[in-house]
Amino acid sequence: MMQGWRAAGLALGLGVLAAAGQAPLGAWYLALPAYAGIMALVAWAASPRQAAWRGWLAGAGHFGAALSWIVQPFFVEPEVYGWMAPFALALMGFGLALFWALPAWLAARFGRAGLIVPLLTGAEMLRGVIFTGFPWALPGHIWIDTPVAQLAAYGGANGLTLLVLVLAALPVLLGWRGVAGAAALLAAVWGFGLWRLAQPDPAAPGLTLRLVQPNAAQSLKWDPDQAERLLQLQLDYTAALPRPDLVIWPETALPYLLEEGSRVVDAVAAAGQGVPVALGAQRMEGAAAFNSLVVIGPEATVTHVYDKHHLVPFGEYVPMGELAYRTFGLRAFAARQGYGYAAGPGAAVLDLGHLGKILPLICYEAVFARDLRAAPDRAGWILQITNDAWFGTLTGPFQHAAQARLRAVEMGLPLVRVANTGVTGVTDARGRVTAALPFGVAAYLDAALPGPLPPTPYARWGEAPLLVLLAGLAALLFRRRGKGLA
């Protein structure tokens, strides 16, 4: 019931506190009451405009804090791009906050403040799709380090978001009865998660994987004077005894363009000593450049190729660039004409024979659950290669790794993650880390590959059950008489 700038400041502060639930803090116990406070501020707004204003500021605080790592890429070359950093963070924070403002306005406009629960869940789902999508720092991500994350096998990350908002809304809706109800619901889902984690592990395939982490600083990664040193470091790690079943290097691990028959490919095969090496490389087809994962076999041949298909807008390509080329002949933004990366054909599964079928992901693709479900076949494990050196050492790499772990829970598949600077490790099919390298060191790790679970309900049906649930909840709340949260 506070008005003016005091309420605005409180909304902003609660948004910042809600961001504490994101990795690496994972402070869900701070985030949950912060979401409840945001719900109360919106519910007690005097007008739809005031509700939207409060929702927008809360979203700005949340995204500004959670996505603070977004400034790091601009400081790789600070003398050129550093001035852009604060503008990028402000644009990202206040822009994404619109996805919180609209549900707040609609709920107040219809006099059913409780509608913000299904509407905000739906808005966060839309955020993961529209304009190629950006499902980062979802409210549901606060559960990743808790047993509650096991619910993602049934409703995905968006189902976890719905749970957060229901728990936050109950105290505002029902007072102390709502607090008791929220506590009982949280205890129930926590207990279910513990039960699921206690189930027997699936049989492991008996494979040993070598994960190579070169720890190349982004400012040095493409330095010609450092290229040979970094290549040799990875070759040395690859050649170390005892021999694994597969060696894996991170995204763009080769400091040169991939060319079959080159000395680099020969050197990788020789270091493998009969063991295949999966690595990230840039390759060309005509004028088009691809960010790829390739497997180099013992005979110094490229046996498998996966080209990243879900590219980062303005980072890896210019949106509409291909259309501008086809329509107006403008080449300067067309990836297929050599400007940025060209997109691969789509999600894929690579059959590596005795190593099993892998679902490859390159960097940012791991945040999109729908991309994993789009694969034409069910894999035996997920392989993500990435270069998180762009995103500093405080929050970005850890948030990225946490979201990748959630993909393992959703799909019921083990995840192997190999990063340039970290986080590098192995996650089992229930999202538990079974082996990991320290962050920010040059090293390699030999780790056993866990086994897969049967397809989860989420892997089978995706978001469809959740959409039905949201529609039913919205209809129920809309039909209730009276003002207030419900």
Side-chain angles (χ1 to χ4, degrees), residues 247-458:
V247 179
I248 308 169
W249 297 9
E251 179 188 15
T252 57
L254 284 186
Y256 310 102
L257 283 175
L258 177 72
E259 296 178 305
E260 286 202 70
S262 68
R263 71 162 185 96
V264 174
V265 172
D266 290 343
V268 171
Q273 302 175 48
V275 173
V277 180
L279 53 81
Q282 298 179 103
R283 66 183 197 89
M284 302 291 296
E285 283 187 10
F290 294 90
N291 185 358
S292 305
L293 181 151
V294 302
V295 179
I296 298 176
E299 304 301 321
T301 58
V302 176
T303 60
H304 299 79
V305 176
Y306 167 72
D307 297 320
K308 184 179 182 184
H309 74 281
H310 203 140
L311 302 175
V312 181
F314 301 105
E316 294 180 311
Y317 78 106
V318 177
M320 311 299 285
E322 298 294 333
L323 180 63
Y325 172 68
R326 291 193 299 268
T327 306
F328 306 108
L330 297 176
R331 299 168 57 92
F333 304 113
R336 293 277 174 175
Q337 301 302 310
Y339 298 93
Y341 286 125
V349 170
L350 304 182
D351 190 343
L352 302 187
H354 75 283
L355 297 171
K357 294 181 177 180
I358 68 167
L359 197 166
L361 304 171
I362 299 178
C363 193
Y364 179 68
E365 290 178 322
V367 307
F368 297 98
R370 70 179 188 272
D371 286 354
L372 281 74
R373 294 192 62 254
D377 192 9
R378 181 160 174 86
W381 52 289
I382 304 166
L383 173 58
Q384 183 201 14
I385 60 171
T386 184
N387 174 26
D388 289 352
W390 283 104
F391 305 127
T393 60
L394 296 178
T395 59
F398 303 100
Q399 290 176 8
H400 194 191
Q403 292 175 71
R405 285 173 51 207
L406 198 58
R407 304 291 85 82
V409 180
E410 290 168 342
M411 301 301 293
L413 295 175
L415 164 77
V416 177
R417 188 176 196 270
V418 183
N420 171 24
T421 55
V423 178
T424 294
V426 177
T427 300
D428 72 9
R430 293 190 177 97
R432 295 169 293 197
V433 176
T434 60
L437 279 171
F439 183 82
V441 301
Y444 71 88
L445 169 69
D446 287 349
L449 177 66
L453 291 168
T456 63
Y458 182 81

